[in-house]
Amino acid sequence: MKGLNVDLFDPRSTMDADFSPGGGAERPIEPRHGSGSDSDFAFAFNDSNFSDRVLRVEILPDLPDSKSDPDGCTTIADWARNRKRRREEIRKENAAEIMQREEQVLSCNMPDTDDILAYENQDEEAIAMVEESTGDGSTENNDSSTNMDCSTVLHVRTIHISSPILAAKSPFFYKLFSNGMRESEQRQVTLRIHASEEAALMDLLNFMYSNSLSTTMPSALLDVLMAADKYEVASCMRYCSRLLRTLPMTCESALLYLDLPSSVLMGDAVQPLTDAAKQFLAARYKDITKFQDDVLNLPLAGVEAVLSSDDLQVASEDAVYDFVLKWARIHYPKLEERRDILGARLARLIRFPYMTCRKLKKVLTCNDFDRELASNVVLDALFFKAEAPYRQRSLVAEESNTSYRRFVERAYKYRPVKVVEFELPRQQCIVYLDLKREECANLFPAGRIYSQAFHLGGQGFFLSAHCNMDQQSSFHCFGLFLGMQEKGSVSFAVDYEFASRSKPTEEYTSKYKGNYTFTGGKAVGYRNLFGVPWTAFVADDSLYFINGTLHLRAELTIKQ
């Protein structure tokens, strides 16, 4: 058999399990613990002829109400409920004694293995004991040196193992077999596990020999994944992660994957799986307005996945802010806890630079936010708004590879605007609206884009860009309109002017001026702002797109 003469601990060689379920062709071997060879050693599993040690697995009863039922735990939901119950009860258990014999007891949290085994297992800690066999191969129990009542053992499984194969795959077993024990041709290693872990451990041991798993059930794969995390078999974790990614994703399974223990090893090996879960949730709840009730019921990890998306379809960032506050108040009714979670996890999901100034003022007075945090995010937002466009683009580029992107604009239903307000000598505001060429092209043949609301004299206004027919209905053209939000009998007289940057000067030039007395729900504007057909407006040599952006400006002044 090829590969048996390879030094598994040669630092120049590396191993990694191939995704192919059957193992497969041999390739250069990889190091050390944490991976394994592509060579198939299944023939040697539990065969005394190819083994140098005996693994004695003592099966303990599960905690009350947490017994494993292989026939009743075939779905993600079953697994999640069973795993959550076991995890909560095991955390409460105070009888997690480590077996002590005349020989040294080893476990995965030994102080001298912190550097290699730097992780915290959220379920159970692996318990292992090495004991030297007697000359005739039998092992005697010394009750006086055992802290755990042996009568609790349901049954024992004895497995012949090869220490080089297990050590090459797992830092846990590597440390177990190289911790200064006296060399012996017949050394016995004892592991204690709960009954619900037995099937997963056997699958894991088989994988360490064969680089494959026989099970394809999601619940079974998750159990093996947890066992692989516990015994630090990174190659098996990657294998399980890949298999799980091939299965149909559901909201339930996605949330479960995001709730897996966040150890260092787990984070590296299962990152593609958790990334896929986040992408699924972000796509599933893309239209947050449509699924608001569903998203409000999501746990923290789910909300983070949804609100981190650049493609979130939402009216404006103001709506994101309102949603985050609503979710936090539902899930964290205590003010101090709510402030903590907003500061540590939720505030970074809100893209404050794209909120309106009116809403930013409310952030400063919102009691849910820590005062210092509120002040910092608002100042950052205002500084970004005041930056020159090239500097804003630079800040966006700097965040391109980060998880939380404060300066990246989402796909807002209402386009952000910049507003400059004046109180004297007359109440006036200047509104800037930028539209990308692609956004304008997508308006054809009868689309509309609305701006976020802005205010003048206590009244709410908005701009809307249209693709419409000219007044004679002879060709399509670009139109710009100004509307007032409030409906009813309110009457409001305004002087207005529309302007646009254009080549070659790239300065704003006035297109139309006028005055209008608004009543609730009415709008005024021009069906053909530039006086050219649509084809000329969007052409590659168009005078109105500068670096792919159409720059519009509207000035509003309250009539005296």
Side-chain angles (χ1 to χ4, degrees):
M1 184 72 182
K2 293 183 179 180
L4 290 181
N5 61 344
V6 176
D7 181 3
L8 298 180
F9 300 100
D10 184 349
R12 297 168 298 177
S13 60
T14 57
M15 293 187 286
D16 191 8
D18 188 77
F19 178 52
S20 172
E26 188 176 292
R27 69 169 188 246
I29 297 187
E30 266 193 339
R32 318 228 189 168
H33 17 275
S35 309
S37 167
D38 278 349
S39 300
D40 187 350
F41 295 112
F43 70 92
F45 181 64
N46 202 18
D47 190 324
S48 60
N49 294 318
F50 301 99
S51 305
D52 62 337
R53 298 176 189 267
V54 173
L55 180 64
R56 186 174 185 270
V57 182
E58 295 184 354
I59 315 299
L60 306 179
D62 284 318
L63 296 175
D65 300 324
S66 63
K67 297 185 187 300
S68 176
D69 181 2
D71 296 326
C73 188
T74 58
T75 68
I76 289 288
D78 294 336
W79 189 94
R81 286 190 292 268
N82 189 49
R83 174 64 60 177
K84 183 177 181 180
R85 184 171 59 247
R86 283 175 52 202
R87 184 163 55 209
E88 291 172 351
E89 291 173 349
I90 288 169
R91 283 172 177 169
K92 297 175 183 177
E93 186 188 32
N94 294 320
E97 303 103 341
I98 296 177
M99 294 179 62
Q100 294 182 349
R101 305 271 180 157
E102 293 180 352
E103 297 292 341
Q104 183 176 0
V105 179
L106 300 178
S107 70
C108 65
N109 63 341
M110 288 182 62
D112 62 346
T113 62
D114 283 348
D115 292 338
I116 295 181
L117 312 179
Y119 78 99
E120 179 184 358
N121 191 291
Q122 299 297 320
D123 291 319
E124 312 92 7
E125 292 180 349
I127 299 176
M129 186 197 75
V130 178
E131 57 185 358
E132 187 175 343
S133 297
T134 61
D136 61 359
S138 63
T139 302
E140 296 181 3
N141 288 326
N142 186 343
D143 293 336
S144 64
S145 62
T146 304
N147 291 332
M148 188 174 290
D149 185 4
C150 292
S151 65
T152 61
V153 176
L154 296 178
H155 64 276
V156 176
R157 297 189 70 158
T158 302
I159 306 163
H160 295 280
I161 59 171
S162 169
S163 57
I165 292 178
L166 268 59
K169 293 277 191 175
S170 160
F172 173 82
F173 284 105
Y174 178 84
K175 293 301 294 182
L176 184 62
F177 299 140
S178 61
N179 203 50
M181 298 298 297
R182 295 195 306 273
E183 292 298 324
S184 172
E185 293 184 0
Q186 292 182 316
R187 186 181 304 163
Q188 183 164 286
V189 181
T190 298
L191 290 181
R192 276 193 164 185
I193 63 173
H194 290 286
S196 56
E197 302 174 281
E198 181 179 359
L201 176 61
M202 296 309 299
D203 284 339
L204 177 64
L205 291 172
N206 269 297
F207 176 89
M208 295 169 79
Y209 277 78
S210 65
N211 299 300
S212 65
L213 291 173
S214 59
T215 183
T216 57
M217 293 297 297
S219 55
L221 286 172
L222 284 167
D223 276 331
V224 176
L225 179 63
M226 300 299 288
D229 178 49
K230 180 176 178 179
Y231 296 104
E232 305 170 86
V233 187
S235 55
C236 186
M237 295 176 68
R238 288 191 292 271
Y239 185 96
C240 292
S241 173
R242 291 167 185 163
L243 277 180
L244 287 167
R245 294 203 312 276
T246 66
L247 301 176
M249 186 81 74
T250 65
C251 293
E252 192 174 54
S253 62
L255 292 171
L256 182 60
Y257 300 152
L258 295 179
D259 192 42
L260 292 171
S262 56
S263 66
V264 174
L265 184 59
M266 176 70 79
D268 291 340
V270 192
Q271 191 67 49
L273 180 63
T274 56
D275 287 345
K278 291 176 183 178
Q279 292 166 9
F280 174 85
L281 291 172
R284 174 72 178 81
Y285 297 115
K286 184 177 180 178
D287 188 345
I288 195 173
T289 304
K290 180 179 179 182
F291 298 105
Q292 182 170 153
D293 291 340
D294 293 335
V295 181
L296 281 173
N297 288 323
L298 289 178
L300 178 60
V303 166
E304 287 181 313
V306 173
L307 298 186
S308 296
S309 173
D310 295 342
D311 299 322
L312 188 69
Q313 293 179 352
V314 63
S316 66
E317 199 65 28
D318 289 3
V320 176
Y321 169 83
D322 290 335
F323 177 87
V324 168
L325 279 185
K326 186 174 183 179
W327 185 93
R329 288 167 180 169
I330 292 172
H331 293 266
Y332 295 87
K334 294 182 179 179
L335 178 59
E336 288 304 316
E337 292 181 357
R338 187 162 64 248
R339 280 183 177 174
D340 288 343
I341 203 67
L342 282 168
R345 303 283 290 273
L346 293 175
R348 61 190 181 185
L349 304 175
I350 304 170
R351 304 185 183 185
F352 292 95
Y354 292 98
M355 289 173 57
T356 62
C357 291
R358 286 172 66 89
K359 185 65 79 171
L360 288 174
K361 290 178 182 178
K362 294 183 179 181
V363 175
L364 292 174
T365 58
C366 179
N367 197 40
D368 297 72
F369 283 92
D370 174 78
R371 290 294 176 86
E372 184 177 357
L373 172 64
S375 177
N376 288 338
V377 297
V378 170
L379 284 175
D380 284 346
L382 294 177
F383 279 126
F384 179 83
K385 290 176 180 290
E387 292 282 10
Y390 80 90
R391 177 58 183 155
Q392 290 180 342
R393 290 192 293 271
S394 176
L395 291 171
V396 170
E398 290 174 6
E399 286 193 332
S400 60
N401 295 320
T402 59
S403 300
Y404 302 101
R405 292 139 65 92
R406 295 174 298 161
F407 303 127
V408 176
E409 188 176 335
R410 303 188 204 260
Y412 300 115
K413 181 179 179 181
Y414 302 122
R415 303 298 299 142
V417 292
K418 294 181 180 179
V419 183
V420 181
E421 299 180 27
F422 300 92
E423 291 293 332
L424 297 173
R426 291 192 296 170
Q427 283 188 296
Q428 180 185 35
C429 70
I430 303 175
V431 184
Y432 297 89
L433 173 64
D434 294 343
L435 300 176
K436 297 182 178 63
R437 182 189 291 272
E438 294 78 12
E439 292 176 305
C440 293
N442 290 335
L443 292 176
F444 187 85
R448 298 183 180 185
I449 295 178
Y450 294 94
S451 78
Q452 293 180 1
F454 53 92
H455 292 77
L456 177 66
Q459 298 296 320
F461 292 87
F462 62 91
L463 295 173
S464 61
H466 298 205
C467 176
N468 44 218
M469 302 297 291
D470 74 328
Q471 289 183 336
Q472 286 74 39
S473 297
S474 55
F475 56 81
H476 289 88
C477 52
F478 179 86
L480 184 64
F481 295 83
L482 171 67
M484 190 170 77
Q485 284 186 316
E486 286 75 6
K487 295 182 179 180
S489 59
V490 177
S491 178
F492 206 77
V494 173
D495 291 326
Y496 65 91
E497 178 182 4
F498 294 156
S500 171
R501 289 186 190 271
S502 58
K503 300 173 183 177
T505 64
E506 299 187 357
E507 299 292 335
Y508 282 102
T509 55
S510 178
K511 296 299 179 184
Y512 289 99
K513 292 183 178 180
N515 57 74
Y516 189 75
T517 300
F518 286 92
T519 55
K522 298 295 184 179
V524 65
Y526 297 89
R527 299 178 67 86
N528 191 354
L529 183 67
F530 299 109
V532 298
W534 182 264
T535 52
F537 166 67
V538 297
D540 291 340
D541 59 353
S542 172
L543 300 177
Y544 307 107
F545 290 96
I546 301 171
N547 296 322
T549 301
L550 174 67
H551 301 275
L552 302 172
R553 185 184 72 190
E555 292 188 28
L556 284 70
T557 306
I558 296 179
K559 291 187 66 174
Q560 298 296 317

